[in-house]
């Protein structure tokens, strides 16, 4: 039986709600993204791993995670799977492309039509909505729509959504975040820069099959907080990020708003 069909069938038997909203590529990217650190720790601390079962049975998360891991690992063999996971710069999309679960397109093309944030002049504690519109002109096989926000001190936070088999047409996506100060991000007063990218592959990844197809910027200001001159330290995002999309997009979220700079 085809391994990818087995993956979908196994997940359907365990939890049909999971399969109804995700295809095999999305499942693979979600699994690798969520389980990467656990897999690395198991590989580093377990010595010789002889089979996929030995590796995957140690991954926490229950029957679904164990099944997905085992089938993906079996698809390429335990040695190649460990090699991919142990890469110096592991990338869930690239790993799933190498396993042949996710497709690639070296000729993918897209343009950004709109990068807009509302309100443009907001206050600390307020909710901001980022709207992005883009047009795909040559199918994106597996990629990302990503944004990065740089605060007045140079610290950055961002998020991204997974794009799977996006055919030529226009798409829109909205992200929301709340500018609530925390130890990681103080949201100081001043000018913020928003950067948006459409990519084939993971935005910013050094791996093959990765291309920046389009990028754009906008700005907004925040007031009512501390002055930027008194702020220092690295930033990560701890606000309540949400996203919504229109268009014929498939795929799920990649990134959780948990503080990664994409640029």
């Amino acid at each position: 039986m085809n391994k990818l069909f087995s993956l979908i069938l196994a997940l359907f038997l365990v939890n049909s709600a999971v399969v109804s909203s995700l295809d095999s590529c999305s499942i693979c990217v979600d699994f690798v993204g969520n389980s990467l650190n656990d897999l690395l720790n198991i590989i580093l601390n377990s010595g010789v791993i002889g089979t996929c079962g030995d590796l995957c049975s140690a991954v926490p998360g229950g029957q679904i995670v164990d099944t997905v891991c085992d089938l993906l690992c079996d698809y390429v063999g335990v040695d190649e799977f460990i090699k991919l996971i142990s890469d110096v710069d592991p990338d869930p999309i690239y790993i799933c492309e190498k396993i042949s679960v996710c497709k690639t397109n070296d000729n993918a093309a897209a343009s950004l039509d709109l990068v807009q944030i509302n309100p443009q002049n907001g206050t600390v504690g307020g909710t901001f909505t980022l709207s992005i519109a883009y047009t795909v002109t040559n199918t994106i096989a597996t990629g990302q729509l990503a944004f990065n926000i740089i605060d007045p001190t140079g610290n950055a936070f961002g998020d991204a959504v997974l794009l799977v088999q996006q055919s030529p047409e226009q798409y829109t996506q909205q992200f929301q975040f709340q500018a609530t100060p925390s130890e990681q991000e103080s949201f100081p007063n001043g000018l913020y820069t928003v950067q948006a990218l459409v990519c084939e592959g993971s935005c910013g990844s050094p791996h093959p099959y990765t291309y920046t197809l389009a990028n754009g910027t906008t700005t907004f200001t925040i007031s009512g907080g501390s002055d930027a001159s008194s702020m220092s330290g690295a930033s990560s995002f701890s606000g309540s990020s949400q996203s919504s999309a229109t268009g014929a997009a498939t795929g799920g979220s990649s990134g959780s708003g948990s503080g990664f700079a994409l640029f």
Side-chain angles (χ1 to χ4, degrees):
M1 184 181 293
N2 181 277
K3 289 293 185 181
L4 298 185
F5 177 76
S6 299
L7 171 61
I8 299 300
L9 178 61
L11 287 173
F12 180 81
L13 294 174
V14 174
N15 188 340
S16 60
V18 174
V19 176
S20 65
S21 60
L22 295 173
D23 63 12
S24 56
C25 177
S26 299
I27 292 170
C28 180
V29 173
D30 285 346
F31 163 73
V32 176
N34 291 328
S35 301
L36 185 58
N37 288 336
D38 291 325
L39 287 165
L40 286 170
N41 287 332
I42 295 166
I43 291 168
L44 290 173
N45 297 320
S46 297
V48 177
I49 299 174
T51 67
C52 290
D54 294 336
L55 173 62
C56 295
S57 63
V59 179
Q63 183 180 359
I64 291 178
V65 171
D66 191 0
T67 301
V68 173
C69 177
D70 196 48
L71 289 169
L72 292 174
C73 178
D74 281 342
Y75 194 71
V76 292
V78 65
D79 291 338
E80 180 63 18
F81 191 67
I82 289 174
K83 180 181 177 181
L84 289 170
I85 296 296
S86 303
D87 189 281
V88 67
D89 189 6
D91 170 8
I93 289 179
Y94 176 70
I95 289 170
C96 293
E97 290 171 341
K98 290 293 290 183
I99 295 173
S100 298
V101 177
C102 294
K103 297 180 179 180
T104 66
N105 182 8
D106 291 336
N107 297 310
S111 59
L112 266 173
D113 306 321
L114 174 72
V115 181
Q116 184 179 73
I117 193 160
N118 186 46
Q120 287 189 309
N121 299 292
T123 59
V124 169
T127 298
F128 292 80
T129 300
L130 173 62
S131 301
I132 301 173
Y134 62 99
T135 299
V136 176
T137 53
N138 198 335
T139 299
I140 297 174
T142 311
Q144 286 185 325
L145 172 65
F147 77 88
N148 203 43
I149 296 177
I150 303 171
D151 75 13
T153 69
N155 297 326
F157 62 87
D159 204 353
V161 291
L162 178 67
L163 310 177
V164 179
Q165 290 299 299
Q166 283 206 328
S167 58
E169 67 174 273
Q170 187 180 63
Y171 299 85
T172 62
Q173 180 85 35
Q174 285 191 332
F175 299 90
Q176 282 192 331
F177 67 92
Q178 189 171 1
T180 302
S182 68
E183 291 183 2
Q184 292 76 34
E185 175 54 62
S186 59
F187 290 102
N189 295 334
L191 184 68
Y192 289 68
T193 299
V194 181
Q195 300 173 315
L197 284 90
V198 182
C199 306
E200 172 74 23
S202 295
C203 293
S205 172
H207 293 291
Y209 319 121
T210 300
Y211 311 95
T212 299
L213 306 178
N215 63 81
T217 63
T218 190
T219 59
F220 67 100
T221 61
I222 288 181
S223 60
S226 302
D227 290 336
S229 60
S230 65
M231 301 293 104
S232 63
S235 167
S236 66
F237 179 49
S238 59
S240 52
S241 175
Q242 298 178 337
S243 66
S244 60
T246 60
T250 59
S253 174
S254 176
S256 59
S258 56
F260 56 91
L262 297 166
F263 318 96

